[in-house]
Amino acid sequence: MQLEVDVAKKTGNFSLQVAFDLVGKKWGIFGPSGSGKSTLMHILAGLLTPDRGRITLDGVCLFDSKKKINLPPQQRRVGVVFQHAHLFPHMNVRRNLLYGWQRTPRAARQISPAAIIAALNLEDLLERGVARLSGGERQRLALGRTVLSCPRLILMDEPLTGLDQELKFQIIPYLTKVLAQFDIPFLFISHSLEEIRLMTDEVLIFNQGRLEQRLPAEELARRALVAGGRGYANLLYLSSPRPHGDLWSYQWGATELILLEGGGKGDNLFELGAKDVTLFKRHPEATSARNLLPCRVSDLFGEGNRMGVDLLSKGNHLVSQIVPESVRELDLKKGSEVVAVIKASAFRRLY
Amino acid sequence: MMLTLAPQDIEAIVLSLKVATASTLLSLPVGIAVAYVLAFTRFPGRALLEGLVNLPLVLPPVVVGYLLLLLFGKFGALGRLLSFWDLRIIFTLKGAVIASSVVGFPLLVRAIRIGMEGIDQHYLQAARTLGARWWDSIYTIILPLSGRAIIAGMTLMFARSLGEFGATIILAGNIPGVTQTIPLAIYEYTNTPGGDRMALSLCLVSIGLSLIVLLISEASVRSFRKR
């Protein structure tokens, strides 16, 4: 996907003025509410007309105030997954799902309804009225409906906001799976750092109607370590859970980890707080912690009394948060060998 | 008490139903269009349109009838135009339909408009981004979602037309078998010595008809809700 945007829009006291070019597939737009994320989404979808500027998607001009081009939403082939799903209440699941597909030119129908129904587990819901769907089912249907309109770009406007944590992590695997399976580029709009990290590779940061910065999602997360708050969380995709005494062992690449929590079906994504990774200079002979990982320091970052240590262990990256005094005492620098110690109970299952 | 109806009364009932049905059905497309414009668009002169549409609601029906008479009369602007095609409105059934349409129109528009204003605009946005053109989204989203409001508006208008008196008597006159609807027939009975019983019979018919209209409307609203 190649998206070029240079637009300005003033509404009341708020003015949006942004210019950027994007190449790639998994983009996030991050910012507090009122920063212009939603306004930009509406402009890209053709639901709001900018005062001036230009929008080009994959070489097709969607809007150009100088040339007086303004493609209506139905001709842009830019799909939207709205925060509140906005399923049509007078149609059942099947009719909702096929609404966009039936309006897609035959030549552009690259995705079949059967594939989407299977991928999103919608078989048993097809004849149901949308009022009788749960929150997760609604969001799955909304995603399927948008994907089936075979868009060149999907805009996701805080699709997980308002869902509880458990539900959110039920939906995310569907989102990532479907978007990857059907190879659709997307812009994921959110004010949740966690969602942005799970969904996107790179992020545009908005503030007060301006594009403040663009950086990798991982970089954004590392700044959270410095800024405090919940700090940095390592995200670990673990595989092949096996019982290990009364604990569980998982594979993390070539490393074996011991966890308290049992294995689930499919992917296992765990969160591990950077504060829960303790560093030792040498291998401690005996410890209550179940995981001891020999690592090499690949980077040190942070400022003030919050330091992040980027560790490399058999090809896996892990971040530990420590204080500057420890950095000095352990004499940490790039290339130092340390042992990372993690308790079996420190891992929190996301899904 | 026996319900006795003269052949003339049956004619009045049939005429009433004809007038109410015709005026409701003929006004419906225009009513939906005007309700849409008032509910969804912003343009200069919108307030004027709104005022014009609602005017018959607050004007005495006699005034409406008189203005229509001026418009459709022999020397009226429309009357002269229509006389080219040999079309006469005053003192005909067409006149009764037009009088009912104008008087009932604000009720129809008001009900539909309130229904349309209650539709979440996001449904329209979703439809548009899914590839629906403007008219497509009206046909597949707005109309089905205002179904109940449309039925409610039609019921109000139909009932209002059944009872229309003031504008009808001026524009269409009170000609038995031609323009004499139930209210006009009751009016004539009350002016005739000894017509009280016949007037009462027609009053009962009128009450019965109104109840039936309400029941049908209630049933169709319910069937809409089920879907």
Side-chain angles (χ1 to χ4, degrees):
Chain A
M1 181 214 24
Q2 191 167 7
L3 177 66
E4 292 158 41
V5 177
D6 181 358
V7 291
K9 172 83 185 171
K10 208 170 152 61
T11 44
N13 283 332
F14 178 75
S15 95
L16 175 82
Q17 196 167 358
V18 288
F20 55 84
D21 293 358
L22 300 184
V23 181
K25 285 195 183 291
K26 298 160 81 175
W27 280 90
I29 296 185
F30 184 74
S33 47
S35 57
K37 306 185 302 271
S38 244
T39 306
L40 177 71
M41 189 278 287
H42 281 83
I43 286 175
L44 291 177
L47 299 170
L48 194 65
T49 309
D51 299 334
R52 57 181 176 74
R54 242 176 88 75
I55 304 170
T56 316
L57 174 61
D58 293 333
V60 180
C61 180
L62 304 183
F63 177 83
D64 192 328
S65 56
K66 281 199 193 110
K67 293 186 195 156
K68 302 236 179 293
I69 296 173
N70 186 12
L71 286 191
Q74 73 271 14
Q75 284 174 24
R76 295 193 175 198
R77 300 199 38 231
V78 171
V80 182
V81 178
F82 295 91
Q83 181 183 346
H84 297 293
H86 301 310
L87 303 174
F88 304 132
H90 56 299
M91 300 181 189
N92 63 13
V93 171
R94 184 194 298 278
R95 287 182 59 207
N96 263 287
L97 192 62
L98 295 180
Y99 191 91
W101 195 72
Q102 286 160 344
R103 285 161 179 79
T104 305
R106 266 171 210 286
R109 290 181 184 172
Q110 292 136 351
I111 299 166
S112 82
I116 278 288
I117 291 168
L120 290 173
N121 266 337
L122 294 170
E123 292 94 345
D124 299 334
L125 306 175
L126 289 175
E127 305 309 322
R128 203 179 276 185
V130 293
R132 290 173 50 228
L133 296 180
S134 70
E137 290 166 344
R138 295 178 69 81
Q139 230 32 332
R140 261 150 63 199
L141 173 55
L143 174 67
R145 184 175 73 168
T146 301
V147 170
L148 267 183
S149 66
C150 306
R152 293 180 296 169
L153 166 68
I154 288 188
L155 307 172
M156 286 187 272
D157 188 14
E158 313 231 6
L160 304 171
T161 305
L163 302 181
D164 60 47
Q165 285 288 320
E166 195 184 339
L167 204 51
K168 188 189 275 193
F169 292 115
Q170 278 174 24
I171 303 289
I172 288 177
Y174 280 114
L175 281 177
T176 46
K177 178 173 97 177
V178 166
L179 293 166
Q181 183 180 342
F182 300 103
D183 198 28
I184 306 172
F186 64 87
L187 260 177
F188 188 91
I189 299 167
S190 178
H191 62 257
S192 152
L193 177 60
E194 192 174 43
E195 292 171 14
I196 288 277
R197 274 185 80 199
L198 288 171
M199 292 297 303
T200 69
D201 294 337
E202 285 187 89
V203 194
L204 301 176
I205 297 174
F206 274 54
N207 201 7
Q208 296 182 331
R210 301 289 183 276
L211 173 61
E212 226 174 46
Q213 241 174 348
R214 51 194 290 173
L215 70 182
E218 175 63 23
E219 185 61 35
L220 180 66
R222 291 188 176 196
R223 294 191 177 193
L225 183 149
V226 180
R230 285 185 59 205
Y232 179 93
N234 291 287
L235 298 174
L236 284 71
Y237 289 90
L238 305 183
S239 59
S240 18
R242 287 179 308 276
H244 181 91
D246 47 7
L247 299 173
W248 289 77
S249 96
Y250 290 79
Q251 276 314 122
W252 183 39
T255 311
E256 190 187 36
L257 292 177
I258 305 295
L259 273 69
L260 204 57
E261 280 195 68
K265 284 174 282 178
D267 281 339
N268 296 281
L269 178 64
F270 285 89
E271 185 183 71
L272 171 64
K275 296 168 189 161
D276 294 329
V277 181
T278 313
L279 299 184
F280 284 71
K281 188 80 182 165
R282 273 174 296 277
H283 198 287
E285 275 178 19
T287 164
S288 65
R290 292 297 90 196
N291 299 289
L292 295 119
L293 277 51
C295 306
R296 169 171 289 128
V297 175
S298 63
D299 193 16
L300 285 158
F301 60 95
E303 57 189 57
N305 58 6
R306 297 167 204 274
M307 294 295 293
V309 186
D310 188 4
L311 305 162
L312 197 61
S313 161
K314 294 190 191 167
N316 293 316
H317 273 279
L318 190 65
V319 172
S320 167
Q321 183 186 336
I322 56 177
V323 293
E325 202 176 333
S326 312
V327 175
R328 280 193 300 277
E329 278 178 17
L330 291 171
D331 187 26
L332 292 182
K333 44 184 170 294
K334 270 191 198 179
S336 305
E337 302 276 347
V338 286
V339 177
V341 175
I342 310 159
K343 297 168 86 170
S345 58
F347 299 85
R348 189 172 78 92
R349 175 185 288 283
L350 296 182
Y351 59 79
Chain B
M1 194 194 76
M2 274 272 290
L3 184 69
T4 46
L5 293 173
Q8 196 189 326
D9 299 342
I10 307 281
E11 270 183 340
I13 295 169
V14 172
L15 273 178
S16 277
L17 291 174
K18 268 190 193 167
V19 169
T21 309
S23 59
T24 306
L25 291 182
L26 289 175
S27 303
L28 187 61
V30 190
I32 290 175
V34 172
Y36 176 85
V37 168
L38 289 179
F40 291 113
T41 59
R42 298 281 173 273
F43 60 94
R46 183 172 166 277
L48 189 68
L49 175 68
E50 194 174 352
L52 271 180
V53 167
N54 281 324
L55 204 54
L57 204 60
V58 288
L59 279 183
V62 177
V63 173
V64 175
Y66 188 67
L67 292 175
L68 287 174
L69 186 62
L70 290 182
L71 189 65
F72 286 105
K74 244 185 198 159
F75 304 106
L78 273 176
R80 245 184 286 179
L81 189 69
L82 290 173
S83 66
F84 274 113
W85 293 283
D86 241 3
L87 271 174
R88 206 165 65 98
I89 300 296
I90 50 170
F91 303 128
T92 65
L93 189 64
K94 292 188 206 83
V97 172
I98 288 175
S100 276
S101 300
V102 172
V103 173
F105 193 66
L107 295 171
L108 180 73
V109 170
R110 185 164 283 252
I112 300 176
R113 179 187 161 182
I114 289 172
M116 285 183 173
E117 281 173 346
I119 297 175
D120 189 342
Q121 293 279 306
H122 290 104
Y123 294 139
L124 290 176
Q125 296 189 340
R128 298 301 300 279
T129 59
L130 287 168
R133 289 161 197 275
W134 172 76
W135 53 262
D136 189 0
S137 66
I138 290 182
Y139 189 71
T140 54
I141 309 294
I142 293 184
L143 285 186
L145 286 180
S146 18
R148 280 163 65 182
I150 291 174
I151 292 172
M154 287 174 75
T155 310
L156 277 176
M157 178 157 184
F158 190 85
R160 179 69 184 82
S161 302
L162 280 181
E164 216 312 293
F165 178 83
T168 311
I169 201 165
I170 291 193
L171 189 64
N174 189 353
I175 310 164
V178 183
T179 65
Q180 190 179 66
T181 54
I182 297 174
L184 300 182
I186 295 174
Y187 171 71
E188 197 176 304
Y189 277 129
T190 55
N191 283 334
T192 315
D196 294 354
R197 272 197 59 177
M198 302 303 279
L200 196 58
S201 297
L202 275 182
C203 283
L204 290 176
V205 169
S206 189
I207 293 170
L209 278 180
S210 305
L211 275 178
I212 292 171
V213 171
L214 284 179
L215 287 176
I216 291 176
S217 131
E218 196 56 37
S220 42
V221 164
R222 214 170 301 137
S223 82
F224 237 94
R225 205 174 295 158
K226 254 185 228 151
R227 275 198 278 153

